[in-house]
Amino acid sequence: MEASSEKDIRRLYNDLAWTWPIISPVENYIEETELFSKLIGEHSKIEVKTLLHLGCGGGHNDYTFKKYFKVTSLDISEDMLKLAKKLNPKVNYKYGDMQTIRLEERFDTVTILDSINYIKTVEDLQRTFITTYEHLKPGGVFLTFVEQIAGQFKQNNTTCSNHSKGDVEITFIENDYDPDPTDTSYEATFIYLIRVGGKFEVYTDRHLCGIFKLKTWLELLKATGFEVKQVKYTHSTFTEGESYPMLICIKPL
């Protein structure tokens, strides 16, 4: 099955959006979002009151962001936006693509978190960075992180987790595979083993995600106009020794 990122994301969310709060509950995002909020405050050259979150998914990061900022969030899935609005009714949610959206407002800070994985080409990554730059006030911070780095990819890496709520039981399996290490994409295959009241069903979905050299990220961000600082992002749920490069990108005053 050939996949384009937006098409596959839409289909997955349309079919299985209801599973997301079970598979990835909001409580799992509090620790990381507290860290993101702290880093934004420490590195911004201006007072931070407003935040634009591109690729917000079900709004689980927004649940904590809204404690500190007036939040506007964007996603390409209407079903995930419905979940986000239910969780965070006071957040300003909008439908749109992070590569092309242009809002009539600038923000004190902009974030793109794990949704940036769905950017598959250098050209699209550059367009996305331009979007963040154009929506950010001078002195503000654009915060993102890099999960997969070319040259460090773990072929056929597979994870499995079990989740339950009421009469729903879900085993979620993710397999990462790169059929062509010379290009800038890899395959992420999701398998859902779902039991609802004892009835068993299996769902699968395949996504194409982006993978670039860290040097490419840094060069594109600097070419866009950002001043870039890099720190290690670690989380209590990571395996021992695991960390991601956190990129703190400042728009010059």
Side-chain angles (χ1 to χ4, degrees):
M1 176 178 64
E2 185 177 357
S4 63
S5 64
E6 182 164 348
K7 179 181 177 182
D8 277 12
I9 297 168
R10 286 172 184 266
R11 182 164 53 78
L12 172 66
Y13 286 170
N14 288 340
D15 292 345
L16 295 165
W18 65 271
T19 68
W20 198 244
I22 302 173
I23 293 171
S24 192
V26 67
E27 292 80 10
N28 291 359
Y29 293 76
I30 293 174
E31 176 187 333
E32 66 174 35
T33 314
E34 290 284 356
L35 171 62
F36 302 155
S37 301
K38 180 174 180 287
L39 288 172
I40 289 167
E42 288 177 347
H43 292 275
S44 180
K45 296 180 179 180
I46 59 175
E47 185 179 3
V48 186
K49 295 182 179 180
T50 60
L51 178 146
L52 174 63
H53 183 187
L54 300 174
C56 64
H60 289 185
N61 291 108
D62 297 338
Y63 180 80
T64 299
F65 276 145
K66 69 187 181 186
K67 290 168 50 181
Y68 303 102
F69 315 110
K70 179 182 178 183
V71 179
T72 298
S73 288
L74 181 89
D75 204 85
I76 62 170
S77 167
E78 292 177 346
D79 286 312
M80 291 299 271
L81 286 173
K82 288 178 183 177
L83 291 176
K85 290 175 182 177
K86 183 177 179 181
L87 181 65
N88 307 300
K90 293 185 179 180
V91 170
N92 182 19
Y93 285 105
K94 296 180 179 292
Y95 173 86
D97 187 328
M98 70 175 74
Q99 295 181 47
T100 57
I101 192 71
R102 292 296 182 272
L103 304 174
E104 295 181 358
E105 185 178 356
R106 285 189 177 184
F107 299 83
D108 301 322
T109 189
V110 179
T111 60
I112 308 178
L113 304 175
D114 52 2
S115 58
I116 202 154
N117 291 343
Y118 288 99
I119 303 299
K120 305 189 302 298
T121 70
V122 171
E123 294 77 17
D124 288 348
L125 193 61
Q126 180 75 86
R127 277 191 282 268
T128 302
F129 292 158
I130 291 171
T131 295
T132 65
Y133 194 86
E134 292 188 359
H135 287 88
L136 188 62
K137 293 179 183 178
V141 168
F142 162 48
L143 188 74
T144 191
F145 58 84
V146 186
E147 287 191 37
Q148 297 286 2
I149 302 174
Q152 300 180 24
F153 184 82
K154 296 179 181 179
Q155 188 71 296
N156 256 324
N157 185 54
T158 303
T159 59
C160 177
S161 56
N162 297 302
H163 313 270
S164 63
K165 184 176 182 180
D167 66 348
V168 178
E169 297 178 78
I170 303 174
T171 296
F172 178 68
I173 303 166
E174 179 177 351
N175 172 263
D176 296 333
Y177 183 80
D178 191 352
D180 183 2
T182 66
D183 67 11
T184 59
S185 66
Y186 72 96
E187 301 171 356
T189 301
F190 299 160
I191 302 171
Y192 299 76
L193 310 180
I194 301 178
R195 291 176 172 85
V196 181
K199 182 181 178 182
F200 178 68
E201 294 187 19
V202 180
Y203 296 87
T204 64
D205 212 7
R206 171 180 170 268
H207 299 260
L208 289 183
C209 301
I211 180 168
F212 309 93
K213 295 178 180 179
L214 182 58
K215 180 181 178 182
T216 300
W217 287 75
L218 298 175
E219 288 177 347
L220 291 177
L221 286 164
K222 290 176 182 177
T224 304
F226 287 110
E227 299 170 357
V228 183
K229 299 179 181 180
Q230 183 180 330
V231 299
K232 285 186 178 181
Y233 163 43
T234 60
H235 192 279
S236 60
T237 60
F238 289 179
T239 57
E240 186 175 355
E242 183 182 16
S243 66
Y244 300 148
M246 175 75 71
L247 304 180
I248 302 166
C249 315
I250 302 167
K251 183 174 182 176
L253 287 166

